[in-house]
Amino acid sequence: LGDVVALINLHSGHDSWNVEQAVTYLQQAAKFAEEFSVRIVHETHRQRLFYNPYVTRDILLHESIRGQIEINADLSHWVCVCEHVFDKDSIRDKDWWPQVVKLVAEHCSLIHCRVGHMEGPQVSDPRDPAYAKEVEAHLGWWTEIWKSQAARSFKECWCEPEHGPAPYLQALPYTRQPVADLWEVNNAVRDLVKARFKEQIYAS
């Protein structure tokens, strides 16, 4: 499969599983990937194994699978699940969040570039100044991932603008009219990603 498939993205497992159940599943997924010569990435997604940063940390640090798992980082889900925009400089986050970002970055092979907020996995329009904090936070996390990938001699960095239609994209009541043009939103995310990548990675 590796000749025709770049990556297989999985919404792996269920958020009710304990770490041992998750590890057993991931071990089997790794065997499948090896048998069929394909790269499998496991998405950080609500309702799945990697639904929050704390569980993700514990799973990725498990000795039996450490270094064997590839991640698709959609960190917008964590912002929603935890109702918090993580900040490495804040009292709340400074003692653990940088280590989690580093750990995810070391395992990340794909980024779903969606900007989340405290009450949902997707802001309506990242160009809205009201979401400047969220946009800058996500760009910072993605930059840490790119730097890790560069250090690991990646030839390509896979990034997908991933703002989706309703119910991800907010809609007006009754008419269900989207509050923003999804094509324009994803093009805006693409432009933000390209500009930050050029600034932080090409320039370094």
Side-chain angles (χ1 to χ4, degrees), residues 76-143:
S76 65
H77 290 287
W78 288 359
V79 173
C80 174
V81 167
C82 297
E83 291 190 295
H84 180 66
V85 179
F86 308 100
D87 179 358
K88 64 181 176 60
D89 296 319
S90 73
I91 294 175
R92 179 193 187 279
D93 302 331
K94 66 179 183 178
D95 292 333
W96 67 275
W97 177 246
Q99 289 76 24
V100 170
V101 173
K102 181 176 184 293
L103 185 64
V104 169
E106 291 170 350
H107 290 80
C108 184
S109 298
L110 170 65
I111 303 173
H112 274 179
C113 295
R114 184 195 346 260
V115 177
H117 61 103
M118 289 192 296
E119 303 303 332
Q122 180 174 302
V123 301
S124 55
D125 191 330
R127 296 168 295 184
D128 183 346
Y131 296 119
K133 174 184 175 182
E134 288 83 356
V135 169
E136 188 57 37
H138 284 73
L139 284 168
W141 305 332
W142 301 340
T143 298

Side-chain angles (χ1 to χ4, degrees), residues 28-99:
Q28 293 302 313
K31 289 179 182 177
F32 178 93
E34 182 177 4
E35 179 180 353
F36 291 95
S37 300
V38 66
R39 294 171 64 192
I40 291 175
V41 295
H42 304 272
E43 185 170 348
T44 61
H45 201 288
R46 291 168 296 154
Q47 297 190 53
R48 305 302 178 184
L49 293 183
F50 298 117
Y51 74 100
N52 76 36
Y54 321 111
V55 172
T56 300
R57 173 193 58 203
D58 294 344
I59 293 172
L60 293 180
L61 288 175
H62 198 282
E63 286 300 325
S64 65
I65 59 169
R66 189 161 189 180
Q68 299 177 36
I69 304 302
E70 294 186 75
I71 291 293
N72 168 13
D74 189 341
L75 304 181
S76 65
H77 290 287
W78 288 359
V79 173
C80 174
V81 167
C82 297
E83 291 190 295
H84 180 66
V85 179
F86 308 100
D87 179 358
K88 64 181 176 60
D89 296 319
S90 73
I91 294 175
R92 179 193 187 279
D93 302 331
K94 66 179 183 178
D95 292 333
W96 67 275
W97 177 246
Q99 289 76 24

